[in-house]
Amino acid sequence: MQTLQVHQETFQNTEPRRITHTHTHTHSQATGLLLTQHVHWDFIWRPNLHLANTTEFTMASSELSLILNNANANLYPEPQHHLLCMTRTPHLSEINFNNSNTMGTWDQVNPQMWTRQNVLEWIGFHVEESRFDASLLNMNYCNMDGLTLCATSKETLLGMFGQRFGERLHQNLENLKARYANDLSENAVLSESELDILENILQDSFPFMHGPNLGPLLETVVVQTTIPTDNSESKYSYFDEYTNQQTPESDHGYDSLTESFQSSQAGSFLNPSSPESSSSSSDSDPEYSEKPFSVSSKITVKQEPGKNQKRGRGRPPKPRDNEGYEHFIQSKKSKHAPRGTHLWEFIRDILIHPEQNQGLMKWEDRRDGIFKFLKSEAVAQLWGQKKKNSSMTYEKLSRAMRYYYKREILERVDGRRLVYKFGKNSTGWRVEETGY
DNA sequence: ACCCGTTTTCCTGCTT
DNA sequence: GAAGCAGGAAAACGGG
């Protein structure tokens, strides 16, 4: 058995090609050698801070948009950068360095090593393959890492994903597990080429970081570990992790709307009828959500003053400060930027989950798709939150709504304030489509 | 670089 | 008068 150590200095070195590794020989029954990347958590979630351009933002404050983002991630899967997929403990030999497989990274990785994003992509792949109605998915059940997934019994999977889709997932998972079953003790040593590739990945991942800057951020060690194959061995239990997550503080100073969503998030958004949903799902962005521990409960970002400043027509340019993290986010997302949820989809999703929307909107006529804004400004705020636009108002939102008339996504409802109707070009709201 | 689709912003006039 | 509606105009912005 060999233990390989890549020291922290490796990443402080301005010349990463000098990565060194040492071998120590020990007798061990360990089944594998894992490359563990400890990325400091402040780095992981600080970008979220920057993204949240709201007056006041708490980690738990934007639940609806976060949940919707999760839903988006499922509907429009976004390929993740290698390193961000590696925040748990992937086996180096299992990393798809080419990333050319259209199936996604998960296909090249032992399911036990999957990140939550990998699990999402895997589920998304099967949704596509089986033409399963993704709107029936409970996103909370999709938000688990590979270790937890592998530790989940068939019965539980069936319960989570339904008989047919659950069966399919279970079958495929078993196949994938079997594929990697004999491979765990192999590739314990990094070859020079693998080290080169690792260097490249690190460089790609932190293009704005150079040599010494990487040091404080990355602390990479290679550890010898046994991969648990049993439920009881699973250290990072999905259920433990989420049920132990702290509840949002009540005095965070966010608006009442958000509070109402905080209090309503115990259930699943996409599948509100699911009984044992206990996930908080407060991970705003799956890419940065691989944190094994809770983070501080409140983060406040002050908004710039001067909102009443007179300005010209049209949309002002977005602020371009903080190039560092911003650039990282932009470059990472630009590869395959997801098609964001459209406004009408956002509205629809609020409507089809009435127990989650806390009286923001209601159906006037469910069959005909007629609905009404009950808290118009609150909905606008929420929409703005989703679009990282703290100055969204109902007036602006309604203008966008009116543009839908022409495209027949919405139809006019004359004489009734705050009332709209879904048009023939909208989908996903009908009882036949949602199942409830 | 340019086009296109989808907003976002601002505005005027009208209706409830 | 306030809130909302209607829709023109211009601009932002991401994707192709």
Side-chain angles (χ1 to χ4, degrees), chain A residues 25-273:
Chain A
H25 297 271
T26 58
H27 278 293
S28 169
Q29 295 179 347
T31 56
L33 187 66
L34 295 184
L35 172 69
T36 306
Q37 298 219 358
H38 298 287
V39 181
H40 289 189
W41 296 116
D42 62 340
F43 174 72
I44 286 292
W45 56 275
R46 191 171 292 171
N48 276 341
L49 247 182
H50 183 71
L51 286 171
N53 186 23
T54 53
T55 307
E56 285 205 64
F57 173 75
T58 70
M59 284 299 285
S61 68
S62 49
E63 294 309 327
L64 179 66
S65 59
L66 302 187
I67 293 165
L68 285 170
N69 283 342
N70 283 343
N72 280 342
N74 191 46
L75 289 169
Y76 314 110
E78 177 183 358
Q80 299 304 300
H81 202 286
H82 282 121
L83 195 72
L84 290 162
C85 295
M86 292 166 62
T87 47
R88 274 194 49 73
T89 55
H91 196 291
L92 190 62
S93 66
E94 294 158 354
I95 298 166
N96 172 21
F97 291 111
N98 294 324
N99 198 25
S100 59
N101 193 321
T102 54
M103 274 179 156
T105 339
W106 57 267
D107 189 49
Q108 312 296 308
V109 181
N110 185 333
Q112 302 208 20
M113 299 302 131
W114 285 353
T115 63
R116 288 178 198 165
Q117 184 61 33
N118 290 146
V119 173
L120 255 183
E121 288 170 355
W122 173 70
I123 293 170
F125 172 79
H126 286 286
V127 165
E128 285 259 318
E129 282 285 298
S130 63
R131 301 189 179 280
F132 182 75
D133 182 1
S135 68
L136 300 176
L137 277 180
N138 180 340
M139 292 308 294
N140 290 326
Y141 293 150
C142 303
N143 190 7
M144 66 174 112
D145 59 28
L147 207 55
T148 309
L149 176 67
C150 290
T152 305
S153 70
K154 180 182 178 181
E155 290 68 33
T156 309
L157 272 180
L158 295 183
M160 289 158 70
F161 297 103
Q163 198 70 27
R164 265 187 59 213
F165 192 58
E167 178 73 42
R168 181 194 174 98
L169 291 181
H170 171 74
Q171 273 301 327
N172 184 250
L173 185 61
E174 289 305 308
N175 292 341
L176 289 168
K177 275 159 72 177
R179 189 206 290 181
Y180 288 94
N182 302 321
D183 195 35
L184 290 176
S185 58
E186 297 174 6
N187 298 307
V189 181
L190 297 180
S191 69
E192 290 295 334
S193 60
E194 284 173 327
L195 284 167
D196 276 350
I197 293 165
L198 175 60
E199 293 169 33
N200 292 335
I201 289 172
L202 289 166
Q203 289 294 304
D204 285 351
S205 302
F206 303 99
F208 58 95
M209 303 297 287
H210 303 288
N213 293 332
L214 275 173
L217 294 176
L218 285 178
E219 181 186 321
T220 301
V221 292
V222 177
V223 296
Q224 203 174 301
T225 186
T226 303
I227 298 170
T229 54
D230 184 315
N231 297 13
S232 59
E233 299 285 328
S234 178
K235 200 170 181 179
Y236 299 109
S237 162
Y238 166 71
F239 301 103
D240 289 349
E241 184 178 330
Y242 283 84
T243 52
N244 288 344
Q245 208 160 14
Q246 92 253 10
T247 54
E249 289 178 16
S250 57
D251 61 342
H252 49 60
Y254 204 70
D255 58 72
S256 59
L257 161 70
T258 304
E259 271 196 41
S260 69
F261 270 92
Q262 287 170 4
S263 64
S264 72
Q265 52 155 333
S268 151
F269 191 80
L270 278 186
N271 186 358
S273 59

Side-chain angles (χ1 to χ4, degrees), chain A residues 75 97 185 198 258 273 316 331 354 363 374 401 408 414 417 425:
Chain A
L75 289 169
F97 291 111
S185 58
L198 175 60
T258 304
S273 59
S331 62
W363 288 110
L374 299 177
M401 296 281 281
E408 298 188 275
D414 289 328
R417 291 189 165 202
N425 290 333

